[in-house]
Amino acid sequence: MIVGLEEITESDFYIDDDLMNDVAPKDRDIAMVFQNYALYPHMTVYDNMAFGLKLRKYDKPDIDLRVCEAADIDFLQRKLVDLSGGHRQWVAMGRAIVRDAKVFLMDEPLSNLDAKLRVSMRAEIAKIHRRIGATTIYVTHDQTEAMTLADRIVIMSATKNAAGTGTIGRIEQVGTPQELYNEPANKFVAGFIGSPVKNFIEVTLDGDRLTDGRGFDIAIPQGKRKMLDELGYQGKKLTFGIRPEDISSDLISRESYSEAKIRAEVVISELLGSDSILYCKLGDQEFSARVSATDYLAPGSTVDLAINVSKGHFFDIEMGKRI
């Protein structure tokens, strides 16, 4: 709908102060980067990057200036068959950038690249965005890309339509990366943002403690307990969400959060260099903890952990909304 390939059925779409609902796609001044590059294999890098400018009847000196500013002259003469996937994606982005459009649309531009290239290209996209300053709408399934590149994020989910015959997209939350990370609107958003994913534990509020009746039993701060009491959750089940980085194994944390300590079995351990991910089990609850690499433990070990409950979130067990 933004680019004009689908009709807008409700509301108005403006670029700056210009109404775009009935403007032809070619006249909207929008540049797009596709997931599959959409390059011409028989052309050189230069010809691919200049193609859109030629269609818009730019003068050759202007085309040369724009394209040469975007890439090294030796690189411009290379054929696409000689380029790696990362270089081809760079050409696809370069073709859009030389347009100097008002809006840039990027449809999962890094999804076809390997992990190392994704990291380097992510940094390049961030540099390009800062340089050109234009509005960029970037579609991705990778929450790391969203968190590192975005000023604002729109998290969408698929849900069944009223008739139950298909699915429709629904906006779950709109906000800055910090807002989505620290104040998720619901369980879906909380589970989507963060790596490893947020832990969700079904518990009952029993006085000032959260318990599942099978080994998981921790105290909660007075302020959070009072809030839950006022909302009528005392004695009821709810979902407690806590991120792996807010579960610690070091002595200082265990002393600081002495009322929120648990002892669990390590099922799987992942050593990541500076830290470790411990996948643990307590009763029938499974969760992960991001701890220091010095606290790495082999599977089958027992570990004492402390939970920073003040960093946790509570969700209604039926509706999934954050309490």
Side-chain angles (χ1 to χ4, degrees), residues 111-163:
S111 61
N112 292 332
L113 306 182
D114 61 43
K116 186 176 180 180
L117 270 175
R118 287 173 77 103
V119 174
S120 61
M121 288 299 294
R122 199 163 64 221
E124 287 300 316
I125 290 175
K127 291 177 186 176
I128 291 168
H129 179 64
R130 282 197 298 270
R131 179 165 58 84
I132 61 179
T135 297
T136 302
I137 299 175
Y138 189 108
V139 178
T140 180
H141 287 86
D142 187 326
Q143 57 94 8
T144 302
E145 288 180 17
M147 292 290 287
T148 55
L149 291 174
D151 298 307
R152 289 176 67 77
I153 300 174
V154 180
I155 292 189
M156 301 183 71
S157 67
T159 184
K160 288 186 177 181
N161 60 20

Side-chain angles (χ1 to χ4, degrees), residues 44 150 197 204 222 227 260 304:
T44 63
V197 298
T204 299
Q222 183 177 354
M227 178 267 293
D304 290 318

Side-chain angles (χ1 to χ4, degrees), residues 20-248:
M20 290 287 153
N21 290 47
D22 299 319
V23 175
K26 67 182 179 64
D27 297 323
R28 295 194 180 195
D29 198 14
I30 293 175
M32 188 160 185
V33 180
F34 298 91
Q35 179 178 346
N36 63 353
Y37 314 149
L39 300 172
Y40 299 100
H42 63 287
M43 293 183 181
T44 63
V45 171
Y46 174 91
D47 290 332
N48 269 281
M49 293 178 66
F51 188 74
L53 300 177
K54 291 177 180 177
L55 290 179
R56 285 172 170 75
K57 309 298 183 185
Y58 280 72
D59 294 334
K60 190 175 189 309
D62 192 12
I63 293 175
D64 289 342
L65 178 63
R66 288 170 177 264
V67 174
C68 290
E69 282 181 346
D72 183 83
I73 189 66
D74 293 330
F75 180 69
L76 291 173
Q77 301 309 314
R78 296 176 65 180
K79 294 281 190 179
L80 284 187
V81 293
D82 300 324
L83 302 183
S84 65
H87 280 134
R88 293 184 186 188
Q89 187 60 76
W90 188 93
V91 174
M93 286 191 290
R95 180 181 58 188
I97 292 162
V98 297
R99 283 267 318 280
D100 195 24
K102 290 183 178 179
V103 178
F104 290 84
L105 304 181
M106 297 191 180
D107 180 16
E108 298 197 73
L110 307 184
S111 61
N112 292 332
L113 306 182
D114 61 43
K116 186 176 180 180
L117 270 175
R118 287 173 77 103
V119 174
S120 61
M121 288 299 294
R122 199 163 64 221
E124 287 300 316
I125 290 175
K127 291 177 186 176
I128 291 168
H129 179 64
R130 282 197 298 270
R131 179 165 58 84
I132 61 179
T135 297
T136 302
I137 299 175
Y138 189 108
V139 178
T140 180
H141 287 86
D142 187 326
Q143 57 94 8
T144 302
E145 288 180 17
M147 292 290 287
T148 55
L149 291 174
D151 298 307
R152 289 176 67 77
I153 300 174
V154 180
I155 292 189
M156 301 183 71
S157 67
T159 184
K160 288 186 177 181
N161 60 20
T165 57
T167 59
I168 56 174
R170 180 175 66 187
I171 293 176
E172 297 288 351
Q173 188 172 356
V174 181
T176 66
Q178 293 85 354
E179 288 170 345
L180 268 57
Y181 184 85
N182 295 316
E183 302 172 20
N186 52 46
K187 186 178 175 182
F188 179 88
V189 174
F192 185 80
I193 296 293
S195 180
V197 298
K198 195 179 188 84
N199 299 299
F200 296 106
I201 302 171
E202 291 190 6
V203 295
T204 299
L205 179 61
D206 184 7
D208 63 352
R209 304 191 72 80
L210 299 175
T211 178
D212 69 351
R214 295 180 295 279
F216 185 90
D217 190 303
I218 61 173
I220 62 172
Q222 183 177 354
K224 286 188 177 288
R225 181 194 61 78
K226 184 178 179 181
M227 178 267 293
L228 292 172
D229 281 351
E230 291 175 350
L231 293 173
Y233 281 94
Q234 187 61 245
K236 294 184 178 180
K237 286 189 174 182
L238 62 158
T239 300
F240 174 57
I242 188 74
R243 297 196 183 279
E245 51 267 36
D246 296 322
I247 303 177
S248 307

